[in-house]
Amino acid sequence: NAGVTQTPKFRILKIGQSMTLQCTQDMNHNYMYWYRQDPGMGLKLIYYSVGAGITDKGEVPNGYNVSRSTTEDFPLRLELAAPSQTSVYFCASSYGGQDPRAWPQYFGPGTRLLVL
Amino acid sequence: AQSVAQPEDQVNVAEGNPLTVKCTYSVSGNPYLFWYVQYPNRGLQFLLKYITGDNLVKGSYGFEAEFNKSQTSFHLKKPSALVSDSALYFCAVRDPMYSGGGADGLTFGKGTHLIIQP
């Protein structure tokens, strides 16, 4: 049982390049999330999904896109990388159920992205 | 809207002593509260949560947290600190009644570095 996996672990991008951060979970969780973590700022929600085919914006969605074609996968797309997107990105998942907000989220190991 | 404050950037405790990491919250209704721990270059690990019921909740690795509604606090505690407890700790909140954007996500505090000295 791998939990939440993310690839790549580290990436350097040039300004204007694009890339996709991959996230996969094997816990059959309905809910999946993308956060970014900046030093001293905690984690900020970028996008989330409550099930396959359904996505919604979080607190800081600008410059990112997501899709959810399967329960397991929730890729995050950066179209035109900017230095402000230098951060550590975490994917998480949680069980839905009757009261989905009562369930904890389980996090992947993160992707460190540097935009130069 | 919901928010979380962790007033201490860093907490230093001697090994064997009790530790407390502070957290206060702001929500419009009754909160769902969580504590997570992050070790260097790792993802966040869930420690414990308060949803309803007993104000003292117990979690992983001997940690516990006390929910205090009148003080809007959810402090993390451990009776006897270990050097291996040194890490970054995050408090997080959800407002079960909030229906705005990103409502199903967690709102995190900025984190508190816990340093346990041998």
Side-chain angles (χ1 to χ4, degrees):
Chain A
N1 193 337
V4 180
T5 57
Q6 293 182 238
T7 57
K9 291 184 179 179
F10 176 67
R11 182 78 180 268
I12 299 175
L13 281 182
K14 295 182 180 179
I15 294 172
Q17 286 186 320
S18 62
M19 78 165 291
T20 299
L21 284 66
Q22 301 291 345
C23 175
T24 300
Q25 54 92 9
D26 63 359
M27 296 175 282
N28 202 31
H29 285 167
N30 290 329
Y31 285 64
M32 295 187 75
Y33 313 81
W34 275 105
Y35 292 89
R36 59 178 286 171
Q37 182 182 28
D38 300 307
M41 298 298 295
L43 281 77
K44 302 290 186 183
L45 182 67
I46 305 172
Y47 270 97
Y48 69 105
S49 169
V50 301
I54 306 170
T55 62
D56 206 350
K57 296 178 180 179
E59 185 179 357
V60 289
N62 292 343
Y64 306 95
N65 276 301
V66 294
S67 59
R68 185 95 181 270
S69 58
T70 67
T71 298
E72 295 78 17
D73 300 307
F74 191 40
L76 177 71
R77 179 81 177 165
L78 282 71
E79 291 294 349
L80 292 170
S84 61
Q85 293 177 306
T86 293
S87 190
V88 181
Y89 291 84
F90 289 100
C91 180
S93 72
S94 66
Y95 177 69
Q98 190 172 4
D99 188 3
R101 298 182 189 182
W103 295 92
Q105 295 177 13
Y106 295 91
F107 285 78
T111 293
R112 188 174 298 272
L113 177 65
L114 180 60
V115 182
L116 301 174
Chain B
Q2 56 205 28
S3 65
V4 173
Q6 293 181 244
E8 302 154 318
D9 290 335
Q10 183 169 306
V11 171
N12 294 282
V13 178
E15 187 176 25
N17 283 0
L19 68 87
T20 299
V21 182
K22 295 180 180 178
C23 171
T24 58
Y25 66 89
S26 176
V27 300
S28 57
N30 294 317
Y32 290 173
L33 293 156
F34 302 80
W35 275 103
Y36 286 82
V37 59
Q38 184 181 31
Y39 298 100
N41 300 313
R42 303 286 295 275
L44 278 69
Q45 296 179 30
F46 168 70
L47 279 178
L48 52 80
K49 67 177 182 178
Y50 171 83
I51 303 300
T52 187
D54 194 349
N55 289 343
L56 184 65
V57 293
K58 296 186 182 297
S60 305
Y61 313 121
F63 284 94
E64 58 190 28
E66 186 169 12
F67 171 65
N68 187 318
K69 188 172 183 178
S70 63
Q71 297 186 3
T72 62
S73 67
F74 189 56
H75 301 331
L76 182 70
K77 300 180 180 183
K78 187 174 183 180
S80 179
L82 300 172
V83 172
S84 56
D85 293 329
S86 298
L88 181 59
Y89 289 79
F90 289 98
C91 182
V93 68
R94 274 175 166 143
D95 182 347
M97 302 304 294
Y98 178 59
S99 59
D104 288 312
L106 284 165
T107 297
F108 285 88
K110 294 183 178 181
T112 298
H113 288 275
L114 177 64
I115 298 175
I116 308 301
Q117 296 153 332

